[in-house]
Amino acid sequence: MPTSTESSLLPPDLVTRLERLELVTRKIFRGRLKGERRSRRKGQSIEFADFRNYVPGDDIRMIDWNLYARLEKLILKLFLEEEDLHFYSLIDASPSMDFGEPAKLQYAKQLAAALGFIGLIRADRVKIETLGQNPQHRSSALRGRRSVWRMIEQLETIHANEMVTLADGIKNFCLRNRGQGIVVLLSDLLEKTGYESALRYLLSQRMDVYVIHVLSQEELEPEITGDLKLVDCEDADIAEISTSAPLLARYKKTLAAFVSGAQEFCTKRGMNYILVNNQVPVYEFVSSYLRRKGLVR
Amino acid sequence: MFPDLFRNTLTPLQWTLVALVPPAILALYFLKLKRQPLEVPSTYLWHKSIEDLHVNSLWQRLRKSLLLFLQLLIVFLAIGALLRPGWKSTALEGNRFILLIDNSASMSSIDVEGSRLARAKRLANDIIKKFERDTEAMLVTFAGRPRVVQEFTDNHSLLKQRLDTIQPTAESTELLEALQLADGLANPARIAIEEDGKEYEMTEPLPATVYILSDGRFRKVENFSLGNLQPRFLPIGTPAAENFAVTALSTRRHETRIEERQAFGRILNATGKEAVVTAELFLNGEFLDAKAIKLPAGESSPVLFPLENPQPGSLELRLALAGQRDDLNLDNIGYAAIEPATTGRVLVVSPGNPWLEYVFSTERIRQLATVEFSRPDVLGLEDYRKAVESGLYDLVIFDRCRPAAMPRANTVFFGTLPPSDAWQQMAIQRIEAPLILDWHRSHPVMANVELEAIRIWETAILPMPPGALSLIDAQDGPIAAIAPREQYQDIVLGFATTIDGAEGEGSNTTWPIQNSFPVFWMNTIEYLAGKSEETGVVVHRPGEAVEFAVPQAPEKLNVVAPDGKQWTVHRGKHNLYSFLETGTPGIYEARLANKVVRRIAVNLFDRQESEIRLTQRTTTQDGKEITEITPLEIGFVEVKGMPDWRPTRRELWPWLLCAALAVLGIEWYIYNRRIYL
């Protein structure tokens, strides 16, 4: 996979490490194709799961004849079903994501690439979408290790120029994708109309929702001085401030309230909320934060 | 309105520049208020954050301007400091000052904080601080002699720097020379031209104010006109100062026991009450004797110690004060040098005189002096000339002969007159068979000399030079006399023992067969050749030049001061050695190849310096009695003391400057930590 290894989104050392991981979901989804995923549903694989009595209509190939010889009872031997998983990365590509070093959008793309890579190598169906994507334009699902380069290509075409509200973006996503699976929303949630109504759209889908709240170091710990005219990059709104310690303290307090509000909103509704600073290395975030949250193992 | 409240420190141009600073700060502030635009991802959180802070917008504006206010406050505090506000000051008149600072021995007294000199320096420093920018001043110290510490300058920091270098001395005080020096230097650019024998001043002499910082312990200054100098006397010290001092120490041979010496000291009680002090005598640092002396208030008492066969060395008389207050330590020790007990050297130049030979062969004379006899033809020899010029002899007796020049020794001219002009000024009258009328019985030379029974055949009537004292009077005038010459004494006897007559040499007088003859010579030897046994008669004071002679008169020798410093001294005129570095009281040793050849004691021994109490006088003014510090008398001018005069202003500028620095610190902190109220 020369493309993936050369991409800045998936550096080779990251690829090596990610190969050990796989995506997990707590919910039971019916995959469309057999995948490499051990489903919680019983099915056909070589991995033994359980025994149960035969009832008419069962596949007689599953009957454990050795048990029948010993007990003279028809006992079915159940194996774990291996199936594929739908994994969606929903990236907020609004101009506000173009801030920070690295830019929040770049960070979000790296995360999406990493998670997508894990999905692809485990034969899951991976879809990369952005909030500003046309509702009619369905992006094709990627599957298999060979699709990694296509995923990277797709990610690299994403730029922070989509002027769409969070609510509209998610609504359109839900219209496009009615299936089940894992959806990871990568956004800064800086939406003046609020993120709540937008996230509610996701709840309506039977999806395992991960909200990864990407914020830059400059937003978490602003280092600005003097009398400033802050200009909003999306709507050119202006806020005049004179920096001072109380103001900065108040900003941090407001930010903390905003973050805890989002976390509470998500947790109450069964969504997973994870705040990430763009300074945290991608692999560390995936292997540590997301593993703790149960998205990968 | 408040002429003394502020003091101008800047020129108009500098003030203009300073006045431009606040508008500049305001201008910069308003320039700074043009907010810098900064693009952010979202103003969402910022709007939420500043919502509360916008509640009181006026207060917000004030808070935003806090740094501006602090900066303006710093500038105004600095301007306030530059105005040098202060109060309670005494104005200095004029802009030319001479500070005469007394650094004599009495200024080392510690009756005021530090010492009197330290206080004088502080006061002088305060005066300098009060100077205007263009004020010129000069620093002069005065003790034994005046020293210019700093000539006229308007560099006040240099003046302060030079003021710090003033050190105390152990010298006595002489104000006159300092005033003359100050007068001379006050107008250095003065030009005078002489025309027809009269002197005309080409430039008007500039007046100067002279501040005399002293304890006033010196003689009144006579024959000095202050002229353009305005004197101000700032007395330093207190009338309640207390001091004990050794004011004299000398040694001499015991009157009757020839092997014994005596040390005479004098102790002064310069306090207001009677006291008993212990005087301790040390020889070369070893304790010899001690005596307790009762001293009436303000008086001095003698103290006498017998010294049996003392070793040569330095004799010290120290005061042991048991808990008594003593504000001046410098005068608590008196020094005297004890030279080796040498006998005097006497040269008798005579064509042959058995009577003299007989008299000088007695044991008693031999104890006092070594007597050498020479013929008159020795007078023409180089050896003789060298010997008498180097002061080898204490006494030279010329019997019926006389040298070409007077020797550097005491002399007795027996039957001849000295060659000096003083004795040769008039024709010599010779008389026969003089009738002795009287003799000077109280003079040491004539002690116990009875001349009633003697007969003289022929004698000369002596011409009396100035200062001469008649020893024997005959009916026509003196026939024996003694006269001083520099540090020597010359005795002249108009008659000899023998006379050359027609029949040859014959007896001229019956005196040699009388008892009075050996008694007279004995007295003469004791008086003129035994003087080296006495020490401490001539007092050498610190700072004064010392002249001394040593036997053999080497070309140079080393002088070791009491503090261990060494100087090489070269032989000068008349084979005398002159030494100037006598700043410290104590014994100075003249050494030749590490052998002490002469000791010189340098002592303060100045009652004026030891009486450290400031003198006061009581006058009646408007029917009220007023006690005041005795004024200085300079010429015919009385300069009143101003003990309460304080030039120091209570200056506010250091506090203003500190406040400005503190505000600067607060501003810095607020700016860096972005703290707003």
Side-chain angles (χ1 to χ4, degrees):
Chain A
M1 291 175 291
T3 318
S4 67
T5 49
E6 282 166 14
S7 167
S8 63
L9 295 176
L10 271 180
D13 58 331
L14 182 62
V15 168
T16 323
R17 289 166 166 193
L18 290 176
E19 279 181 342
R20 294 195 292 268
L21 301 174
E22 66 171 315
L23 295 170
V24 189
T25 176
R26 291 164 297 175
K27 293 186 177 175
I28 302 167
F29 302 124
R30 181 180 294 276
R32 293 186 181 176
L33 296 168
K34 280 222 178 287
E36 292 183 2
R37 182 166 311 282
R38 281 177 302 176
S39 167
R40 284 166 69 182
R41 292 193 301 137
K42 308 296 179 287
Q44 295 175 346
S45 73
I46 54 164
E47 200 164 340
F48 170 76
D50 202 356
F51 295 99
R52 75 169 164 80
N53 289 331
Y54 172 82
V55 287
D58 281 338
D59 190 348
I60 54 168
R61 287 177 294 178
M62 295 294 163
I63 293 171
D64 188 340
W65 297 110
N66 291 331
L67 278 178
Y68 177 75
R70 225 166 44 198
L71 304 173
E72 292 187 343
K73 275 184 182 175
L74 287 169
I75 305 275
L76 231 59
K77 193 176 180 180
L78 297 182
F79 293 89
L80 284 179
E81 176 76 321
E82 288 185 338
E83 59 185 23
D84 67 346
L85 182 71
H86 289 220
F87 177 78
Y88 302 92
S89 281
L90 182 55
I91 297 171
D92 176 1
S94 63
S96 70
M97 289 293 281
D98 199 19
F99 281 85
E101 184 57 45
K104 289 185 283 182
L105 181 63
Q106 176 70 11
Y107 192 79
K109 280 152 75 174
Q110 283 181 344
L111 272 178
L115 293 171
F117 177 77
I118 298 169
L120 289 178
I121 58 166
R122 298 287 175 196
D124 291 328
R125 288 156 57 85
V126 173
K127 260 192 175 182
I128 306 289
E129 298 217 345
T130 63
L131 288 178
Q133 203 165 311
N134 192 319
Q136 270 71 47
H137 179 253
R138 294 179 177 222
S139 47
S140 53
L142 307 171
R143 195 182 151 104
R145 189 180 275 265
R146 278 176 301 177
S147 303
V148 170
W149 65 273
R150 281 181 59 202
M151 178 185 73
I152 298 295
E153 261 180 6
Q154 203 178 333
L155 279 170
E156 282 180 346
T157 57
I158 298 171
H159 297 289
N161 53 6
E162 296 177 357
M163 299 298 285
V164 64
T165 63
L166 190 65
D168 288 346
I170 292 177
K171 193 170 105 186
N172 292 338
F173 168 79
C174 293
L175 288 173
R176 283 194 303 270
N177 304 286
R178 292 202 167 272
Q180 296 169 334
I182 303 172
V183 59
V184 173
L185 172 65
L186 294 151
S187 170
D188 54 11
L189 299 184
L190 292 173
E191 181 62 52
K192 290 213 169 87
T193 53
Y195 52 82
E196 292 88 348
S197 58
L199 295 183
R200 278 198 192 97
Y201 283 113
L202 286 175
L203 284 175
S204 61
Q205 305 290 93
R206 286 182 52 247
M207 283 187 167
D208 200 358
V209 181
Y210 285 83
V211 178
I212 298 182
H213 191 180
V214 184
L215 285 177
S216 65
Q217 176 69 18
E218 290 79 5
E219 285 164 312
L220 291 166
E221 298 282 343
E223 284 189 353
I224 50 172
T225 53
D227 298 310
L228 298 168
K229 186 164 78 178
L230 304 180
V231 184
D232 193 313
C233 67
E234 291 180 5
D235 57 5
D237 179 43
I238 285 170
E240 287 193 346
I241 60 156
S242 290
T243 37
S244 66
L247 178 67
L248 292 178
R250 189 168 288 276
Y251 171 83
K252 283 181 187 168
K253 217 168 152 185
T254 310
L255 177 69
F258 176 68
V259 168
S260 63
Q263 184 168 24
E264 195 184 335
F265 179 86
C266 294
T267 313
K268 274 185 178 173
R269 286 156 183 81
M271 291 187 277
N272 295 287
Y273 172 89
I274 308 154
L275 172 70
V276 62
N277 183 340
N278 65 345
Q279 302 302 308
V280 178
V282 172
Y283 177 73
E284 188 187 324
F285 178 71
V286 172
S287 66
S288 171
Y289 290 72
L290 293 183
R291 191 194 286 265
R292 223 177 295 142
K293 282 283 177 182
L295 180 60
V296 294
R297 67 179 176 202
Chain B
M1 191 175 169
F2 303 105
D4 212 42
L5 186 60
F6 297 109
R7 209 158 272 276
N8 190 10
T9 51
L10 299 182
T11 60
L13 177 70
Q14 287 168 327
W15 273 121
T16 312
L17 289 174
V18 169
L20 285 174
V21 174
I25 289 177
L26 279 172
L28 285 171
Y29 179 75
F30 286 118
L31 283 174
K32 195 187 101 181
L33 258 190
K34 282 190 171 179
R35 293 174 188 278
Q36 293 288 323
L38 179 72
E39 200 172 47
V40 289
S42 174
T43 51
Y44 174 61
L45 292 174
W46 289 107
H47 273 302
K48 277 195 156 189
S49 302
I50 56 179
E51 263 171 13
D52 292 342
L53 297 171
H54 275 304
V55 174
N56 189 339
S57 65
L58 178 66
W59 181 233
Q60 266 296 309
R61 278 172 198 278
L62 285 176
R63 274 196 303 197
K64 283 176 191 169
S65 310
L66 185 61
L67 285 179
L68 171 74
F69 289 140
L70 288 176
Q71 284 160 8
L72 289 177
L73 183 60
I74 292 165
V75 171
F76 287 127
L77 285 171
I79 292 174
L82 283 171
L83 281 166
R84 278 186 68 185
W87 65 91
K88 268 188 194 170
S89 74
T90 315
L92 292 176
E93 294 157 20
N95 64 351
R96 284 166 68 77
F97 294 90
I98 300 166
L99 303 178
L100 291 184
I101 297 172
D102 184 354
N103 65 342
S104 65
S106 58
M107 291 297 280
S108 297
S109 306
I110 50 166
D111 57 327
V112 293
E113 195 191 333
S115 72
R116 287 181 180 183
L117 182 63
R119 188 187 176 87
K121 281 159 81 172
R122 282 200 298 273
L123 209 54
N125 197 34
D126 290 345
I127 294 173
I128 294 168
K129 274 189 200 163
K130 252 199 101 184
F131 286 163
E132 298 284 351
R133 271 184 343 108
D134 57 345
T135 302
E136 282 193 327
M138 178 168 88
L139 271 180
V140 177
T141 62
F142 65 101
R145 56 178 188 265
R147 294 172 184 91
V148 178
V149 179
Q150 176 58 50
E151 288 183 5
F152 269 110
T153 179
D154 58 358
N155 183 345
H156 302 162
S157 60
L158 177 68
L159 279 170
K160 286 181 191 171
Q161 213 178 321
R162 298 293 298 153
L163 180 69
D164 283 340
T165 63
I166 296 175
Q167 295 296 320
T169 68
E171 299 173 12
S172 49
T173 319
E174 187 63 61
L175 179 62
L176 175 63
E177 285 179 40
L179 285 171
Q180 285 168 340
L181 183 77
D183 191 32
L185 290 173
N187 290 295
R190 199 159 64 181
I191 302 166
I193 57 162
E194 241 182 85
E195 200 175 284
D196 303 333
K198 284 183 181 173
E199 204 174 77
Y200 297 95
E201 296 270 337
M202 290 302 287
T203 46
E204 191 67 23
L206 295 167
T209 310
V210 181
Y211 279 95
I212 303 166
L213 292 91
S214 169
D215 52 10
R217 297 307 317 194
F218 44 81
R219 286 178 289 118
K220 70 177 182 181
V221 181
E222 287 170 342
N223 303 322
F224 182 77
S225 171
L226 283 160
N228 271 321
L229 301 177
Q230 293 290 321
R232 300 270 184 281
F233 173 38
L234 308 181
I236 313 282
T238 61
E242 294 188 353
N243 185 33
F244 295 93
V246 177
T247 54
L249 179 66
S250 61
T251 66
R252 71 174 185 210
R253 190 182 288 274
H254 194 276
E255 291 289 337
T256 50
R257 291 188 293 279
I258 197 158
E259 70 286 351
E260 200 174 282
R261 285 202 207 185
Q262 288 172 315
F264 289 93
R266 188 163 274 279
I267 317 275
L268 170 72
N269 172 12
T271 69
K273 51 189 183 289
E274 191 181 80
V276 176
V277 297
T278 309
E280 295 174 341
L281 193 70
F282 291 82
L283 179 59
N284 293 329
E286 281 181 24
F287 177 79
L288 285 186
D289 202 354
K291 274 185 182 169
I293 310 137
K294 195 173 181 182
L295 297 165
E299 288 185 21
S300 66
S301 295
V303 57
L304 178 68
F305 292 96
L307 299 168
E308 275 186 38
N309 287 327
Q311 294 295 311
S314 57
L315 195 68
E316 288 177 18
L317 183 63
R318 297 181 194 167
L319 294 185
L321 302 165
Q324 280 133 321
R325 183 180 148 195
D326 185 53
D327 292 324
L328 182 61
N329 288 327
L330 208 61
D331 53 7
N332 287 0
I333 306 179
Y335 301 92
I338 296 186
E339 295 291 350
T342 53
T343 51
R345 287 190 76 167
V346 179
L347 176 69
V348 182
V349 187
S350 169
N353 193 330
W355 299 110
L356 283 181
E357 285 169 26
Y358 179 68
V359 163
F360 289 141
S361 65
T362 61
E363 181 60 32
R364 175 78 172 153
I365 290 283
R366 269 210 298 276
Q367 277 182 355
L368 283 174
T370 312
V371 183
E372 297 168 31
F373 285 87
S374 290
R375 307 285 302 175
D377 47 14
V378 82
L379 296 177
L381 300 179
E382 182 65 16
D383 286 352
Y384 160 79
R385 200 184 57 73
K386 271 191 182 170
V388 293
E389 274 193 5
S390 67
L392 182 65
Y393 296 107
D394 297 300
L395 173 64
V396 185
I397 299 168
F398 298 99
D399 179 25
R400 289 166 290 154
C401 61
R402 69 176 184 206
M406 293 299 279
R408 295 188 61 75
N410 298 311
T411 58
V412 176
F413 285 84
F414 199 14
T416 56
L417 259 64
S420 58
D421 293 342
W423 291 94
Q424 302 288 345
Q425 57 188 330
M426 60 175 80
I428 294 152
Q429 182 194 354
R430 300 194 78 86
I431 57 164
E432 289 186 355
L435 180 65
I436 293 174
L437 297 179
D438 197 9
W439 58 94
H440 198 310
R441 289 178 172 81
S442 60
H443 195 277
V445 172
M446 301 303 286
N448 303 316
V449 175
E450 289 297 327
L451 298 173
E452 275 173 0
I454 70 161
R455 297 285 178 271
I456 300 167
W457 179 248
E458 191 195 77
T459 181
I461 300 297
L462 302 178
M464 298 289 277
L469 190 70
S470 171
L471 294 175
I472 306 171
D473 284 312
Q475 76 270 33
D476 293 315
I479 58 169
I482 182 164
R485 167 175 56 89
E486 295 169 15
Q487 69 265 45
Y488 306 109
Q489 305 244 44
D490 303 318
I491 293 175
V492 181
L493 297 166
F495 55 96
T497 47
T498 54
I499 187 168
D500 295 325
E503 298 90 35
E505 200 174 77
S507 180
N508 186 37
T509 172
T510 57
W511 194 26
I513 56 166
Q514 303 285 331
N515 285 339
S516 59
F517 187 72
V519 173
F520 169 81
W521 287 110
M522 174 78 194
N523 287 345
T524 302
I525 297 290
E526 269 196 345
Y527 184 63
L528 295 182
K531 269 187 98 174
S532 60
E533 300 288 308
E534 278 190 24
T535 60
V537 178
V538 181
V539 175
H540 299 294
R541 295 213 160 79
E544 288 180 1
V546 174
E547 269 198 337
F548 61 93
V550 299
Q552 282 90 45
E555 194 171 321
K556 60 179 182 181
L557 40 79
N558 281 340
V559 174
V560 183
D563 53 11
K565 284 186 190 163
Q566 289 207 18
W567 284 271
T568 303
V569 181
H570 291 267
R571 188 179 61 204
K573 212 176 160 190
H574 304 310
N575 292 332
L576 287 174
Y577 299 86
S578 194
F579 182 64
L580 289 166
E581 309 292 333
T582 54
T584 318
I587 300 286
Y588 289 74
E589 292 178 341
R591 293 184 186 179
L592 184 62
N594 274 336
K595 192 183 162 207
V596 180
V597 289
R598 183 73 199 264
R599 290 182 180 83
I600 300 132
V602 173
N603 286 292
L604 180 59
F605 290 170
D606 186 333
R607 189 164 174 160
Q608 276 284 2
E609 292 296 322
S610 295
E611 279 276 12
I612 59 171
R613 289 174 290 182
L614 244 63
T615 52
Q616 288 178 311
R617 71 171 187 186
T618 309
T619 54
T620 312
Q621 203 174 350
D622 303 332
K624 276 199 276 183
E625 279 202 344
I626 298 168
T627 305
E628 60 177 14
I629 303 291
T630 312
L632 296 184
E633 286 181 37
I634 300 174
F636 298 104
V637 182
E638 259 195 4
V639 185
K640 282 198 173 184
M642 302 186 286
D644 299 323
W645 190 86
R646 292 287 174 274
T648 326
R649 278 156 56 85
R650 295 292 295 276
E651 296 272 15
L652 267 180
W653 69 265
W655 297 106
L656 289 173
L657 208 58
C658 287
L661 287 172
V663 174
L664 186 67
I666 292 169
E667 199 237 348
W668 180 86
Y669 185 75
I670 286 175
Y671 179 75
N672 280 285
R673 304 299 297 264
R674 299 174 204 103
I675 290 173
Y676 278 75
L677 294 172

